[in-house]
Amino acid sequence: MQPPPLNLFEAEMVDDVLVVSARNISGTYRYNDLHLDCNTLRSFISRFGVKKLIFDLASLTYFGSELIAGLILVTRDCERQQGVVALCNISHYVSDSLSVIRFFDNHAKFPDRTTALEHFLTPASA
């Protein structure tokens, strides 16, 4: 299964893990593109029963309320599949924003994509 093309994000399957990477999103992105991408990801997750999801935020330079809402919606759809979600390459700014809403109470964060993938691809975490 191959993830669909997106406007603001890139998605790829690494074994059974969906990795979603932010393209260089600044404060000038279009809300419609974000909404479309989130709905496309949600449909893909539901259709294929994705249970492991990593958000790689390395290229994220802006993280406003719309992005937080989109992240939460996509995360919830993965959780409905009894899935797990993690974030990696998180800036201090983004980490602080997500800590305020207690996002990390239920989701792991990793310093980089390799570490996050190793966590998900290790049999004990399956």
Side-chain angles (χ1 to χ4, degrees), residues 14-62:
V14 179
D15 289 338
D16 63 342
V17 180
L18 175 61
V19 180
V20 178
S21 304
R23 296 178 198 233
N24 192 14
I25 299 174
S26 66
T28 60
Y29 71 89
R30 292 173 38 136
Y31 176 76
N32 288 342
D33 289 337
L34 175 63
H35 183 70
L36 183 65
D37 280 3
C38 288
N39 284 340
T40 301
L41 285 168
R42 294 174 69 202
S43 294
F44 181 80
I45 288 167
S46 296
R47 181 175 179 198
F48 293 103
V50 173
K51 295 185 182 205
K52 297 177 184 176
L53 172 62
I54 297 172
F55 286 101
D56 183 345
L57 305 180
S59 297
L60 196 66
T61 58
Y62 173 79

Side-chain angles (χ1 to χ4, degrees), residues 40-124:
T40 301
L41 285 168
R42 294 174 69 202
S43 294
F44 181 80
I45 288 167
S46 296
R47 181 175 179 198
F48 293 103
V50 173
K51 295 185 182 205
K52 297 177 184 176
L53 172 62
I54 297 172
F55 286 101
D56 183 345
L57 305 180
S59 297
L60 196 66
T61 58
Y62 173 79
F63 197 72
S65 59
E66 297 92 359
L67 280 167
I68 291 172
L71 177 77
I72 290 170
L73 287 172
V74 174
T75 296
R76 285 185 181 161
D77 279 8
C78 184
E79 290 170 335
R80 281 189 193 104
Q81 308 288 330
Q82 279 68 54
V84 290
V85 178
L87 281 76
C88 65
N89 290 312
I90 310 165
S91 71
H92 291 293
Y93 169 70
V94 172
S95 182
D96 289 348
S97 297
L98 291 173
S99 293
V100 167
I101 63 166
R102 301 176 61 119
F103 188 84
F104 298 116
D105 288 359
N106 299 312
H107 306 96
K109 61 180 173 177
F110 297 95
D112 54 58
R113 179 188 290 224
T114 301
T115 306
L117 280 169
E118 286 172 357
H119 172 77
F120 278 132
L121 298 176
T122 301

